[in-house]
Amino acid sequence: KLPDGKHLVVDSKMTLNAYEAYSNCNSPEEQERLGKLHVESLRKHIDGLSEKKYYANEKLISPDFVILFMPLEPAFALAFKVKPELFQTSWDKQIAIVSPTTLLTTLRTVASLWKQERQQKNALDIAKKGGLLYDKFVGLVKDIENLGDKLGSAQKAHDDVISKLATGKGNLIRQVE
């Protein structure tokens, strides 16, 4: 769970049995076989995680990928040595494989992207509110102009009444006099 109610799914339950056997083996041929088993185990785990589609869960606000954490750098390195395309293959399945040295960087990158998204959302909100404020000012100016027109009409009506009553040609006061 992250701030702002967001989530980042980090899976760290991967099996390292083949890697452990690889590390304890001295035979290059056996190491090669165990290295391939390690990659196969990792591939199966990637497939299983991909099928779960955690990112599609409506209760989670998360990026559209899952982080697969490999806790041992040498196991991480071996997997990519044996199968260099593994990173792209996993990414295509919405799985980001990270090691202890790349986990923090990945988490900070995601946090930074969310921060930029939040800033962009705030900027859009400010622009929207600015537009609404502008519209209110335009409406207020129109109302003031309308008021001026009505005041002018009222002044003209007032002047017409005064003219008929006291100042105009043939006004009532002169007639009464």
Side-chain angles (χ1 to χ4, degrees):
K1 293 182 179 182
L2 300 170
D4 298 331
K6 298 199 176 182
H7 305 89
L8 191 58
V9 179
V10 180
D11 178 272
S12 60
K13 299 178 293 234
M14 95 155 276
T15 178
L16 296 171
N17 293 336
Y19 174 75
E20 183 180 5
Y22 170 91
S23 297
N24 294 323
C25 179
N26 293 326
S27 164
E29 295 84 18
E30 186 63 9
Q31 277 188 327
E32 184 178 335
R33 185 185 73 77
L34 291 168
K36 288 178 181 176
L37 280 176
H38 171 60
V39 168
E40 182 59 25
S41 172
L42 180 57
R43 190 194 57 74
K44 285 180 183 175
H45 192 65
I46 290 167
D47 290 345
L49 273 178
S50 180
E51 289 172 8
K52 291 181 182 179
K53 298 187 186 315
Y54 286 114
Y55 56 85
N57 186 327
E58 291 179 13
K59 294 179 184 176
L60 298 177
I61 301 171
S62 71
D64 62 351
F65 62 89
V66 172
I67 293 177
L68 190 160
F69 177 66
M70 291 185 70
L72 298 173
E73 285 293 339
F76 178 84
L78 175 64
F80 291 103
K81 178 182 172 190
V82 172
K83 191 164 184 165
E85 67 275 9
L86 189 60
F87 187 82
Q88 185 60 49
T89 302
S90 65
W91 185 252
D92 291 343
K93 294 181 179 193
Q94 275 112 349
I95 307 295
I97 303 174
V98 299
S99 68
T101 57
T102 60
L103 177 62
L104 189 55
T105 302
T106 303
L107 295 176
R108 285 188 177 174
T109 300
V110 170
S112 176
L113 291 172
W114 271 333
K115 182 179 178 184
Q116 287 177 356
E117 177 188 345
R118 188 171 52 251
Q119 288 173 340
Q120 183 179 6
K121 182 180 174 191
N122 288 342
L124 290 172
D125 191 38
I126 289 168
K128 180 180 176 186
K129 287 180 180 176
L132 292 173
L133 187 59
Y134 174 80
D135 292 345
K136 284 287 185 184
F137 272 114
V138 168
L140 180 60
V141 167
K142 285 182 181 176
D143 289 348
I144 290 172
E145 288 173 346
N146 187 26
L147 177 61
D149 291 345
K150 288 183 180 177
L151 285 174
S153 295
Q155 184 65 48
K156 184 176 179 336
H158 174 266
D159 291 346
D160 288 348
V161 169
I162 291 296
S163 176
K164 289 176 186 171
L165 186 62
T167 61
K169 186 178 177 182
N171 68 60
L172 289 174
I173 299 265
R174 279 203 187 131
Q175 288 181 23
V176 170
E177 288 175 344

